[in-house]
Amino acid sequence: MTRLINPVRRAAVYARVSTAEQATHGTSLRVQLEECRARAQTNGWVIAGEFVDEGVSGTTANRPALRALLEAARHHALDIVVVTKLDRFARSMRHLHALVAELCDAGVELVTVDGYFDTATSQGRLLRNILGSFAEFERDLIVDRNESGRRQVAIEGYWPGGVIPFGWRAERSNTVHTRLVIDSSEARALRLATSLIVDRGWTLGQVARHLNALGVTPPRTAEWSNTQLRQLLARLPLSGQWTFARHDRRTQHSRSVPVVVAVPPILTARRHEELRQALARSSTKRSAGDLQQFYLLSRGRLIGTCGGRFHGIWRADRGYRQYRCGNSVHDMVPRCSCRRVRADDVEDAVWAAVCDALYHAPLLLEPTSSSHAGPAAASALGAEDLNGRVRTLERALARITLDYARADLPARALRDATRVLQEELTCLRSRMRQAATWHDEQDQAALRHAQLVTLAGRARDTLPTATTQLKACVLALLDARATVVEWTDCATCNVAGKVSGGRGGRTCPACRGSRQVGTIAVEGVIGDGLHNAFARLPSRHNFRGSASAAMPREDRTNSWAVPFRLDVVSHQRQVDRA
């Protein structure tokens, strides 16, 4: 008779405390671990490991010890997870369900010291959900009480806690609460930055470098950057009006009525408004009315001399689009020397090069490598003559082989007798293959040439009045790339950025005030994918409405492809018009 022995079950102990609960009676790590060990010992379980998260909130799923526990469960290194209460494991129903489901998939049970849960039964799941709901309810009550207390503190004019804003410091006014007072050194730096931006017209990058040179330390970083300075100046309550409100983490909407708290002002209300207007004028972020702006060479189609990708920006202060290299941002180290370019100018220049390549597409075909070998191979004898010679040699070899076999001569004598004929036959067959290959390539080249001729005609018919969407489709099908080869000093304005005329001069029409002009290499591949896309377009100029549907952007099934490369000047078309 075989006796079944119950295997020893492996239990893992999990304990957690948050920062606020470490001193609370009954939730310390020592108490939790002792209770879990006692429960495991009572049931005869072996402790396979202890996982402890100290000072981590139960509302977050990103807990180091919890991640290690789940990893051990996935590798089947344990059978049971023991916790004192469900709120030690998770404090939201969504998180609790996800954790229990993952443990169940790994065949691991969840056990609490204050009640045993068999997650395989409906009764156990019901009790688990009830207690999990109470744990979540308790957490929400704690959050609401804390938030109500902070809100009341803000209403009374005190600082409710959190990160002290730059420019102020906390000063205890009584034994319980603190108030914000102006930090003289930080406020002096904010007033200096405001003066440089509003009165002198400095850029944020210039102001950031000036503050770094003065040794002014920004909050939480080593040096100032233009992005950090903009965000700080836009967020700080410089005119003395600070708003306290609780926001939902998912929607970022206010969950309570905002409370306006008065703090000592660093700037007057009028000065603060002037700063806001100056920041708005220099912002490259598109406003709601500018969301329809489109950049034809975005997504890496314009590359700088440094290898960085240009991206489009909207100049709200000047009302036009620009392209800027990603490596030329002020806080990039080292900063590249790529200039900003007007979007209209560079797009016109690149599109003109693309149109020129499509208009002259048949001229891009070059003779193949076998175009000279084919005529040479077929010049001595025609195709029919080659076939006749091959058949004659094959019959002669067959006849000689039969005669030597009847005479019972050795194989070596047969090889010697047919060596010359075999060599001639091999040469003729090679010439026949070369001729066939040459004829096939000529047929394919003729087909490509005919398709390129058709493509050039359709391009001349449609591209002069192409919409922006059609241009984007064509560039995608061509896989076009524009690379700035070099930047040269503008000869029109002698690197001054302006030419004579008007009051104080006018902007140079060649460099657009950037003092340099870029030479751009436009590259792409013309294939039958583009030919087929053009063939689906209507023959006349009424293609605007169906351009996007007729020319899919991601058509890359080219059976043949002809590369092209053209060099253009980024502003040449503007110079010609000027």
Side-chain angles (χ1 to χ4, degrees), residues 275-345:
L275 176 62
R276 289 196 187 101
Q277 294 177 3
L279 293 176
R281 287 193 300 268
S282 63
S283 175
T284 58
K285 182 179 180 180
R286 289 182 288 174
S287 60
D290 306 320
L291 293 179
Q292 301 301 321
Q293 298 292 340
F294 181 77
Y295 295 88
L296 187 63
L297 302 179
S298 60
R299 299 183 179 180
R301 297 206 179 277
L302 182 59
I303 311 297
T305 54
C306 64
R309 299 169 58 174
F310 276 74
H311 58 272
I313 59 173
W314 171 252
R315 291 301 302 267
D317 56 337
R318 300 181 183 179
Y320 57 74
R321 301 174 302 129
Q322 281 187 330
Y323 284 99
R324 178 179 65 184
C325 180
N327 293 338
S328 65
V329 183
H330 290 296
D331 52 359
M332 295 291 293
V333 179
R335 179 185 175 188
C336 73
S337 59
C338 293
R339 313 293 295 183
R340 296 187 185 187
V341 293
R342 287 280 290 268
D344 293 338
D345 296 341

Side-chain angles (χ1 to χ4, degrees), residues 214-231:
L214 294 178
V216 179
T217 305
R220 296 183 296 278
T221 55
E223 291 184 346
W224 290 94
S225 66
N226 63 318
T227 303
Q228 181 193 27
L229 183 60
R230 174 183 291 278
Q231 294 176 352

Side-chain angles (χ1 to χ4, degrees), residues 176-297:
V176 180
H177 303 304
T178 59
R179 292 183 184 273
L180 291 184
V181 297
I182 295 178
D183 186 288
S184 58
S185 61
E186 295 179 355
R188 191 182 305 111
L190 292 174
R191 295 190 186 100
L192 174 61
T194 302
S195 176
L196 295 176
I197 294 173
V198 176
D199 300 331
R200 300 189 184 183
W202 282 27
T203 64
L204 290 169
Q206 292 173 330
V207 176
R209 288 191 292 271
H210 185 66
L211 293 178
N212 291 331
L214 294 178
V216 179
T217 305
R220 296 183 296 278
T221 55
E223 291 184 346
W224 290 94
S225 66
N226 63 318
T227 303
Q228 181 193 27
L229 183 60
R230 174 183 291 278
Q231 294 176 352
L232 193 67
L233 293 176
R235 185 177 64 248
L236 290 177
L238 297 175
S239 56
Q241 293 295 329
W242 177 72
T243 303
F244 172 80
R246 178 185 175 188
H247 291 82
D248 190 279
R249 293 184 177 181
R250 292 172 295 178
T251 63
Q252 295 300 318
H253 293 158
S254 177
R255 299 179 59 180
S256 61
V257 179
V259 177
V260 178
V261 182
V263 296
I266 295 178
L267 301 176
T268 62
R270 179 179 179 181
R271 191 67 166 172
H272 194 191
E273 182 61 27
E274 292 176 350
L275 176 62
R276 289 196 187 101
Q277 294 177 3
L279 293 176
R281 287 193 300 268
S282 63
S283 175
T284 58
K285 182 179 180 180
R286 289 182 288 174
S287 60
D290 306 320
L291 293 179
Q292 301 301 321
Q293 298 292 340
F294 181 77
Y295 295 88
L296 187 63
L297 302 179

Side-chain angles (χ1 to χ4, degrees), residues 65-134:
L66 180 61
R67 291 199 305 267
L69 173 65
L70 296 177
E71 187 67 22
R74 296 188 195 102
H75 289 82
H76 306 287
L78 49 94
D79 304 308
I80 301 171
V81 175
V82 184
V83 295
T84 55
K85 295 181 181 180
L86 279 182
D87 60 0
R88 299 299 94 201
F89 199 56
R91 280 208 166 191
S92 68
M93 284 300 301
R94 180 186 300 178
H95 189 203
L96 178 62
H97 277 292
L99 291 177
V100 173
E102 187 167 356
L103 292 178
C104 290
D105 292 340
V108 179
E109 297 180 5
L110 175 63
V111 175
T112 60
V113 174
D114 56 357
Y116 178 77
F117 297 95
D118 185 0
T119 54
T121 64
S122 58
Q123 294 86 351
R125 289 193 295 269
L126 175 61
L127 188 56
R128 177 203 64 201
N129 291 343
I130 292 174
L131 293 183
S133 298
F134 275 105

Side-chain angles (χ1 to χ4, degrees), residues 9-30:
R9 308 189 71 184
R10 300 162 298 175
V13 174
Y14 179 78
R16 179 193 62 80
V17 292
S18 63
T19 304
E21 295 171 334
Q22 290 181 3
T24 304
H25 178 70
T27 59
S28 65
L29 290 177
R30 182 181 57 82

